[in-house]
Amino acid sequence: MTPNSPRALWRLAGPLLALGCLAGGPAMAQSGYPNHAISLVVPFAAGGPTDVVARSLGAAMSQTLGQSIVVENRPGAGGTLAATHVARAAPDGYTFLIHHNGMATAPALYRKLPFNPLTDFAYVGQVADVPMTLLGRKDLPPADMAEFIQYARANGSKINLANAGLGAVSQLCGMLLQEALGTQFTAIPYAGTAPALTALLGGQVDVLCDQTTQTLPHIRAQRVKLYGVTTLDRIKTLPDSPTMQESGLKGFEVKVWHGVYAPKGTPPQAIAKFNEALRTALKDPAFTQKMAELGAEIVPEAKQTPASLQSWLQSEVDKWGPIIRKAGVYAD
């Protein structure tokens, strides 16, 4: 066999071709993306509000992607366990994270955070917003928000404010409320929304700020006093309830927002395909109906993009960081 024979040339070229195939493997794999099930990681327990959103979203998106989206619950440490898992996952387009406000508050809440929300993820898009409601126990004296503002400033720490624990949006809402009123309540943390709401219904605490997914049935049954909603505009599910801004707290806005993320370095083709499926799902009648039942509102199309989620996350980090640090709330 001479050095220039076809067989000799093939033997020399074979290893080079193999290396080329390996180098181009990820790109080639993405051309048929996705070709197996995708994991959507939820930072909270099954059955909770974020889990319900995730499962409904996954079912709708799987129709477009042609592959199953498997919801994986990884609760613990205020959502940081799940976020850490996804940040360290292989950036192959088969692991995603759905998270709420906790992505923005974690840098200020945790002294030793094992990930950076702003640099360790790729962005897919926002999903849905859930309004918050400010509630009082049924026999709390103020009749409306205007009276509550006067009552709160006069009574301060005599008022017991329930929340669902460190980093919960109910806690953040309470912090912002105290900041806006220039007063301090006595915070009573509970191990989740359910026990906090139960305490309010039982008259054991005075006030709770929580999302409509939990509070709507009790508001409609008049088991609590509704003082206002925390969005800038009135919401469809409670059209007669004034916003906090209408009641004099200018710019007061707190809502549970949901975004979808991937590990940093996930191929752009995979992000684009997943975003396309996300945007299609947000128009799916079954999904939109489910969100309406929860009191959630699908975000406008302009917010369904990677760039919008990245910008929104930065603005939320900037908003909540100073408030949390001023309150001196930290977790090791």
Side-chain angles (χ1 to χ4, degrees):
M1 182 173 60
T2 64
N4 292 325
S5 69
R7 183 174 295 179
L9 290 173
W10 174 250
R11 286 182 176 178
L12 289 171
L16 296 175
L17 289 171
L19 287 173
C21 289
L22 287 173
M28 293 176 67
Q30 292 307 323
S31 65
Y33 173 84
N35 54 33
H36 61 78
I38 296 169
S39 177
L40 181 60
V41 180
V42 177
F44 310 105
T50 301
D51 179 73
V52 173
V53 172
R55 292 179 187 277
S56 301
L57 180 67
M61 290 180 65
S62 64
Q63 298 178 37
T64 300
L65 293 169
Q67 294 289 343
S68 297
I69 294 181
V70 180
V71 172
E72 180 182 351
N73 298 94
R74 285 182 173 261
T80 62
L81 292 182
T84 300
H85 169 75
V86 173
R88 295 174 178 174
D92 57 6
Y94 288 93
T95 303
F96 290 85
L97 170 72
I98 182 168
H99 205 340
H100 65 16
N101 312 51
M103 279 290 273
T105 58
L109 283 171
Y110 294 88
R111 299 179 191 271
K112 299 176 182 178
L113 193 65
F115 64 89
N116 186 327
L118 297 171
T119 61
D120 291 344
F121 296 88
Y123 304 90
V124 178
Q126 295 183 64
V127 181
D129 296 334
V130 183
M132 302 287 284
T133 52
L134 178 64
L135 307 178
R137 55 180 167 82
K138 191 172 182 179
D139 58 349
L140 199 67
D144 54 29
M145 190 61 195
E147 290 186 13
F148 177 80
I149 291 174
Q150 295 179 354
Y151 180 83
R153 287 171 174 162
N155 289 277
S157 61
K158 296 178 183 178
I159 298 173
N160 292 326
L161 173 67
N163 66 60
L166 182 67
V169 184
S170 57
Q171 184 197 36
L172 302 177
C173 183
M175 288 182 187
L176 189 63
L177 179 62
Q178 292 169 90
E179 177 87 5
L181 294 174
T183 189
Q184 289 292 315
F185 302 143
T186 297
I188 310 292
Y190 289 85
T193 297
L197 187 54
T198 298
L200 183 73
L201 292 169
Q204 298 160 358
V205 294
D206 301 312
V207 185
L208 171 67
C209 187
D210 201 15
Q211 54 185 302
T212 55
T213 52
Q214 308 292 328
T215 63
L216 275 177
H218 303 291
I219 292 169
R220 289 168 174 162
Q222 297 183 341
R223 300 188 189 103
V224 293
K225 282 190 176 179
L226 172 62
Y227 289 118
V229 297
T230 64
T231 48
L232 296 180
D233 299 311
R234 295 195 181 196
I235 61 176
K236 296 176 182 177
T237 49
L238 295 169
D240 296 327
S241 178
T243 67
M244 307 283 273
Q245 179 167 257
E246 286 180 77
S247 299
L249 301 183
K250 299 300 181 183
F252 193 100
E253 182 182 25
V254 185
K255 56 189 175 184
V256 181
W257 54 270
H258 301 83
V260 178
Y261 309 81
K264 182 179 180 180
T266 298
Q269 303 98 312
I271 297 294
K273 190 71 176 287
F274 211 69
N275 175 261
E276 178 187 3
L278 171 69
R279 289 185 285 109
T280 301
L282 298 187
K283 298 182 180 70
D284 180 80
F287 180 74
T288 57
Q289 180 180 347
K290 184 64 176 179
M291 293 303 99
E293 291 171 359
L294 296 173
E297 299 180 353
I298 306 297
V299 298
E301 288 189 16
K303 287 191 171 186
Q304 298 169 15
T305 67
S308 176
L309 176 57
Q310 183 176 15
S311 176
W312 177 255
L313 179 62
Q314 180 69 68
S315 69
E316 287 286 280
V317 169
D318 294 341
K319 172 181 178 177
W320 290 108
I323 294 171
I324 293 170
R325 285 188 286 270
K326 182 177 179 181
V329 179
Y330 298 102
D332 293 326

